[in-house]
Amino acid sequence: DAKTTQPNSMESNEEEPVHLPCNHSTISGTDYIHWYRQLPSQGPEYVIHGLTSNVNNRMASLAIAEDRKSSTLILHRATLRDAAVYYCILNSRGGGGSQGNLIFGKGTKLSVKP
Amino acid sequence: GAVVSQHPSRVICKSGTSVKIECRSLDFQATTMFWYRQFPKQSLMLMATSNEGSKATYEQGVEKDKFLINHASLTLSTLTVTSAHPEDSSFYICSARGVRVDRGNSPLHFGNGTRLTVT
């Protein structure tokens, strides 16, 4: 399974944009790039996903490099409630893991300062 | 959006007893449900995959006789931790995937987790 690499932690100031990077140099053509986040003591929450084109939704934007070997999750205005661990995960049409599950790395712990 | 309900959110039990955790998909049919476990300051680790109407598939190192999984309907899967011991204390999280051909283009929906403490 193609792996992703993320920084262990990042800090941001409240109401400023946050760019969370992810490297996935071994991505295959059928891999979608998914982002989830996990707030303390909660299950992961879906944020956004994309294949080739940049994507926007009410939570965030996803910028995908032209060669698809990296991507960036963009939170346009960080709030204190955005403090969480953010996971970048590759999910193929076959479903990621051998059983279609998502394989979680360590993610990036985002801290937001008031 | 799709909702997965997990119950209970927190449970404390004595060593040697069994605990059942329920995972329900509230507004969609889930042909596949996944059970993860997360220890403090670690990432989620897949324990097993359950498909409706068939036996669960367990990951290497996970005892199937200790962690019993039942997926009797398209909206309900249960995980029973049998003869629990303190080392089973963890955060258990279920997730569900709806019926969709292109699984890569379909998000997984997660429950809010169950904090199990075995004393």
Side-chain angles (χ1 to χ4, degrees), chain A residues 78-94:
Chain A
T79 69
L80 297 178
R81 290 186 300 176
D82 290 324
V85 178
Y86 287 78
Y87 297 98
C88 167
I89 303 171
L90 301 182
N91 194 10
S92 69
R93 288 201 179 97

Side-chain angles (χ1 to χ4, degrees), chain A residues 13-56:
Chain A
N13 294 317
E14 196 176 11
E15 300 202 357
E16 290 187 355
V18 182
H19 290 229
L20 298 165
C22 181
N23 288 322
H24 28 78
S25 58
T26 59
I27 191 171
S28 75
T30 58
D31 285 335
Y32 286 81
I33 302 159
H34 284 238
W35 283 82
Y36 291 77
R37 71 179 186 181
Q38 186 177 25
L39 279 66
S41 298
Q42 293 189 27
E45 173 188 27
Y46 167 76
V47 178
I48 200 167
H49 78 282
L51 185 62
T52 56
S53 304
N54 294 344
V55 184
N56 299 297

Side-chain angles (χ1 to χ4, degrees), chain A residues 30 32 34 36 38 41-46 49 87 91-95 98-107, chain B residues 32 34 36 38 42-44 46 49 57 59 91 93 97 101-108 110-113 115:
Chain A
T30 58
Y32 286 81
H34 284 238
Y36 291 77
Q38 186 177 25
S41 298
Q42 293 189 27
E45 173 188 27
Y46 167 76
H49 78 282
Y87 297 98
N91 194 10
S92 69
R93 288 201 179 97
S98 61
Q99 300 291 336
N101 58 289
L102 293 181
I103 299 172
F104 285 80
K106 294 184 178 179
Chain B
T32 304
F34 304 101
Y36 291 84
Q38 185 175 33
Q42 294 188 22
S43 190
L44 283 76
L46 180 70
T49 302
T57 303
E59 295 299 298
F91 193 50
I93 305 167
R97 186 188 299 279
V101 176
D102 185 359
R103 288 184 288 178
N105 199 18
S106 176
L108 266 187
F110 290 84
N112 263 335
R115 176 77 58 193

